[in-house]
Amino acid sequence: MTNNFEAIPNAIFHPLKSWSEQSTGNWNMLIGSGFVLLMVACILAYAFYKKIGSEDERTKQISLNSAFILLCVVILCDMIFPKEYMWQIFFLYKYSFAILAAGIYLAVRYKKDFLS
């Protein structure tokens, strides 16, 4: 059972490994898009965290939920991404996706709670 579970990420991400190793341009494109995604995610999360404002009884729960979503995405990415190869790149994407998910949650809650 574990062999099948470990074979799924390898089947999904091995073509990405092959593509990135074809040339340095592909490798740089993969790293560059990861950094752009990380910067967009950080700006989104920071902007909506500041828009929600200082922590009180209501906004503290929103902040804790966004941190929980961040943790869940990190754990999910740890289970999905392979650990044998390109782990630095997947480390970058793991935290980019996690911060982006937390930022999207903050944006949705801001629109729902503060703009209504």
Side-chain angles (χ1 to χ4, degrees), residues 37-58:
L37 182 64
L38 181 65
M39 291 300 128
V40 167
C42 287
I43 290 169
L44 178 74
Y46 181 76
F48 279 103
Y49 182 75
K50 284 298 184 184
K51 279 187 175 186
I52 288 176
S54 63
E55 289 194 1
D56 57 9
E57 294 84 24
R58 188 174 73 167

Side-chain angles (χ1 to χ4, degrees), residues 8-106:
I8 292 172
N10 288 333
I12 293 171
F13 295 111
H14 189 69
L16 180 65
K17 178 187 176 205
S18 300
W19 174 79
S20 65
E21 290 176 346
Q22 285 178 356
S23 72
T24 57
N26 293 349
W27 184 259
N28 290 337
M29 189 182 317
L30 191 63
I31 292 174
S33 62
F35 275 120
V36 168
L37 182 64
L38 181 65
M39 291 300 128
V40 167
C42 287
I43 290 169
L44 178 74
Y46 181 76
F48 279 103
Y49 182 75
K50 284 298 184 184
K51 279 187 175 186
I52 288 176
S54 63
E55 289 194 1
D56 57 9
E57 294 84 24
R58 188 174 73 167
T59 59
K60 185 173 184 172
Q61 188 66 29
I62 295 171
S63 297
L64 289 174
N65 284 341
S66 70
F68 178 70
I69 288 172
L70 191 137
L71 176 66
C72 289
V73 172
V74 166
I75 291 171
L76 181 68
C77 287
D78 273 340
M79 291 189 306
I80 293 173
F81 288 153
K83 289 144 190 76
E84 295 83 30
Y85 53 88
M86 293 175 47
W87 65 270
Q88 300 96 343
I89 300 296
F90 292 127
F91 186 81
L92 172 69
Y93 278 97
K94 172 176 64 172
Y95 285 102
S96 298
F97 292 147
I99 295 170
L100 184 65
I104 289 171
Y105 173 78
L106 289 172

